[in-house]
């Protein structure tokens, strides 16, 4: 007689399992991403492996570091939760009715916690380099924008104390991200086959870093900014982290949250308004709406 196997529905098959996947996927994203910034800002200069000032080569390290971080974060969580690993993605998919609203806040929580924990591990690994960099610059931690930038973002000095420029930058950057994610996951379009999607989404992040990154650090992800920002506040960076105040900006903390959330919804909306109807028409799918008789 064949042995009967009883399958029990545990946390692995429910929302809790998806939250664990979002936690770990975001953890990998922030771990590798912030560590790439640490290499460029304090690791290479402090180790003696770089003798010139921070320049374009360092920015390439950061751009590719974040892009690859996205790739592997998506591979970690993609088969379980869809690998949003970004509250802007979660909100945008909920708005376009591809994701249940009841899961939005749990996903956001998992993403922020994953980002916070990842930032703490990067700090534990690089705190000697961070302290040495601050000592060399002769500034205390709560005045060191350079070492704070390892973990979270801030606007370029040319914006002054304007909030609109950085907010627009975050809206545009995240709008591009979600527009291209929609294209890459749409099998009616020229979506990549097999498991190539995460790699191409990572390349999107590289492209955004190389084209819009210097304006405000291209957070394009509320959890990516707020989780590490919260950690740096507790670890001694003070008002630079929260409320996000330095010489030329003040109260900045909300912009890398609001901007990506707005931009993500706009990006998916643009794709659904301009591209999806064309794909439906060419595939012979009926448009949603009231039925009308042909004359």
């Amino acid at each position: 007689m064949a042995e009967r196997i009883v399958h029990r529905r545990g946390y692995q098959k429910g929302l809790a399992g998806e939250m664990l996947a979002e936690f770990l996927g975001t953890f990998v994203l922030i771990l590798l991403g912030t560590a790439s910034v640490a290499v460029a800002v304090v690791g290479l200069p402090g180790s003696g492996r770089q003798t010139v000032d921070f320049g374009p080569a360092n920015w390439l390290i950061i751009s590719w570091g974040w892009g690859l971080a996205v790739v592997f974060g998506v591979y970690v969580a993609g088969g379980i939760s869809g690998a949003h690993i970004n509250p802007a993605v979660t909100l945008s998919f909920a708005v376009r009715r591809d994701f249940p609203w009841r899961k939005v806040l749990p996903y956001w929580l998992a993403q922020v916690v994953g980002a916070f924990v990842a930032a703490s591990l990067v700090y534990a690994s690089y705190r000697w380099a961070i302290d040495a960099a601050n000592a060399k610059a002769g500034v205390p931690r709560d005045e060191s924008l350079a070492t704070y930038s390892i973990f979270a973002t801030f606007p370029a000095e040319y914006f002054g104390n304007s909030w609109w420029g950085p907010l627009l930058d975050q809206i545009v950057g995240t709008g591009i991200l979600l527009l291209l994610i929609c294209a890459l996951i749409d099998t009616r379009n020229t979506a990549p086959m097999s498991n190539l999607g995460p790699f191409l989404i990572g390349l999107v992040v590289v492209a955004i870093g190389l084209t819009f990154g210097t304006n405000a650090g291209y957070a394009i992800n509320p959890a990516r900014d707020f989780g590490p920002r919260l950690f740096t506040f507790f670890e001694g960076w003070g008002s630079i982290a929260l409320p996000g105040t330095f010489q030329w900006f003040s109260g900045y903390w909300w912009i890398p949250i609001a901007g990506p959330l707005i931009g993500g919804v706009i990006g998916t909306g643009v794709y659904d308004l301009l591209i999806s109807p064309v794909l439906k028409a060419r595939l012979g799918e009926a448009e949603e709406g009231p039925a009308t008789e042909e004359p």
Side-chain angles (χ1 to χ4, degrees):
M1 182 176 181
E3 182 181 355
R4 182 181 178 185
I5 300 176
V6 178
H7 294 281
R8 294 182 174 86
R9 180 179 175 83
Y11 74 88
Q12 297 94 335
K13 293 186 178 180
L15 176 59
E18 295 172 31
M19 291 176 66
L20 283 174
E22 284 296 303
F23 165 83
L24 190 58
T26 310
F27 172 85
V28 170
L29 164 64
I30 304 305
L31 181 75
L32 299 180
T34 55
S36 73
V37 185
V39 166
V41 173
V42 297
L44 285 171
S47 67
R49 293 177 174 87
Q50 176 178 312
T51 57
V52 296
D53 292 336
F54 184 99
N58 301 79
W59 192 255
L60 286 174
I61 291 172
I62 292 171
S63 296
W64 280 100
W66 278 109
L68 291 172
V70 169
V71 171
F72 296 115
V74 173
Y75 276 127
V76 165
I80 300 171
S81 66
H84 295 185
I85 60 177
N86 182 339
V89 174
T90 302
L91 177 64
S92 299
F93 285 0
V95 169
R96 73 191 308 229
R97 294 180 292 182
D98 281 346
F99 186 75
W101 280 101
R102 65 181 178 83
K103 292 184 178 182
V104 169
L105 290 180
Y107 268 50
W108 284 5
L109 176 63
Q111 291 155 0
V112 171
V113 173
F116 183 95
V117 174
S120 68
L121 184 55
V122 171
Y123 172 76
S125 299
Y126 276 97
R127 64 185 181 90
W128 293 273
I130 290 170
D131 290 342
N134 288 339
K136 183 177 180 180
V139 295
R141 179 173 294 184
D142 61 357
E143 297 178 11
S144 177
L145 184 65
T147 54
Y148 162 79
S149 71
I150 293 169
F151 300 98
T153 65
F154 64 92
E157 190 170 359
Y158 47 70
F159 285 119
N161 198 31
S162 168
W163 60 266
W164 170 239
L167 181 65
L168 177 63
D169 170 79
Q170 289 300 290
I171 292 172
V172 171
T174 316
I176 294 168
L177 174 67
L178 266 295
L179 171 67
L180 296 180
I181 286 176
C182 288
L184 289 170
I185 65 175
D186 191 346
T187 55
R188 302 167 305 174
N189 209 329
T190 54
M193 296 292 103
S194 188
N195 294 320
L196 190 59
F199 180 74
L200 294 179
I201 292 172
L203 286 183
V204 171
V205 174
V206 174
I208 294 171
L210 293 176
T211 54
F212 288 90
T214 55
N215 271 339
Y218 73 113
I220 58 175
N221 180 337
R224 170 266 176 277
D225 188 84
F226 186 70
R229 182 181 295 272
L230 192 61
F231 172 79
T232 55
F233 174 76
F234 290 129
E235 201 54 49
W237 275 270
S239 62
I240 298 179
L242 289 171
T245 298
F246 193 63
Q247 297 171 4
W248 64 86
F249 59 89
S250 61
Y252 182 76
W253 69 273
W254 64 275
I255 291 178
I257 297 175
L261 293 177
I262 296 168
V265 172
I266 292 174
T268 55
V270 168
Y271 186 86
D272 290 340
L273 179 66
L274 299 182
I275 300 299
S276 290
V278 177
L279 292 171
K280 287 180 180 180
R282 293 196 172 196
L283 292 172
E285 297 178 19
E287 293 283 355
E288 294 182 6
T292 57
E293 294 184 4
E294 294 184 4

